[in-house]
Amino acid sequence: IDVSNRGNKPSSEVGSYSGGSYGGKGGVNSSQTTNEPYGNYLAPYEFGMGGQGSGVTRGGGAIKITADVLELSGQILANGQGYSSYGTGSGGSIWLDVGTLKGDIDGTARIMANGGDTSNDHGTGSGGRIAIYYSTLDDFDIISQVYATSAKSYSDQSGAAGTVYSKD
């Protein structure tokens, strides 16, 4: 399931070549600004915020899954849009409310709401927000298989990490 790059375009608060904020603060280019982090880490449902530059990028989309058993043998993605010449988008939101979260036996299942990547020195979007409510984990490790990070900027303009919350 992939809702990457399906979120918001940047608001007027996101300055030139700066990344969007959602779960954390986006990376800021020189004297520019970006929007403040927003949303609720316990119930994430918002779209991620895009970044700005000579064009715009989009944040990650939003997804909520409710199921008795979620068998994940691939990935659930809500990553922000990356681009080399613009500030990048923040991760979006993933909200899982499941009885059993079952991964694959080789451990390759992933859940990610990361900020977009850049190959330049512009601001990167923050990580998004992920909340996982479950009764049982089966072949799935939240610590090593769930990510809400920001990409690295090449001039210390990286955004902050987002949030990951889990409760059994």
Side-chain angles (χ1 to χ4, degrees), residues 70-88:
L70 175 59
E71 190 168 340
L72 185 59
S73 60
Q75 300 179 336
I76 300 175
L77 305 173
N79 297 324
Q81 185 175 10
Y83 200 82
S84 63
S85 297
Y86 311 153
T88 66

Side-chain angles (χ1 to χ4, degrees), residues 3-154:
V3 295
S4 298
N5 313 336
R6 307 254 189 220
N8 293 321
K9 291 181 179 178
S11 70
S12 60
E13 298 169 302
V14 180
S16 293
Y17 304 100
S18 295
S21 301
Y22 176 35
K25 188 131 181 168
V28 177
N29 184 288
S30 69
S31 64
Q32 298 294 318
T33 62
T34 192
N35 63 302
E36 290 297 316
Y38 56 96
N40 182 342
Y41 72 95
L42 296 173
Y45 66 88
E46 297 89 1
F47 293 116
M49 183 65 64
Q52 189 87 261
S54 53
V56 298
T57 57
R58 288 185 176 272
I63 186 165
K64 181 178 183 187
I65 297 174
T66 303
D68 289 332
V69 176
L70 175 59
E71 190 168 340
L72 185 59
S73 60
Q75 300 179 336
I76 300 175
L77 305 173
N79 297 324
Q81 185 175 10
Y83 200 82
S84 63
S85 297
Y86 311 153
T88 66
S90 73
S93 64
I94 299 172
W95 182 354
L96 303 181
D97 191 353
V98 299
T100 299
L101 178 54
K102 180 171 176 45
D104 49 3
I105 202 156
D106 61 1
T108 58
R110 298 284 183 268
I111 299 172
M112 294 187 280
N114 296 329
D117 194 12
T118 183
S119 60
N120 214 318
D121 63 351
H122 304 307
T124 58
S126 74
R129 294 192 185 276
I130 299 172
I132 302 173
Y133 296 89
Y134 65 92
S135 296
T136 306
L137 295 177
D138 184 2
D139 286 326
F140 192 84
D141 179 43
I142 290 177
I143 300 218
S144 65
Q145 293 178 276
V146 179
Y147 304 92
T149 64
S150 178
K152 180 181 181 340
S153 174
Y154 293 90

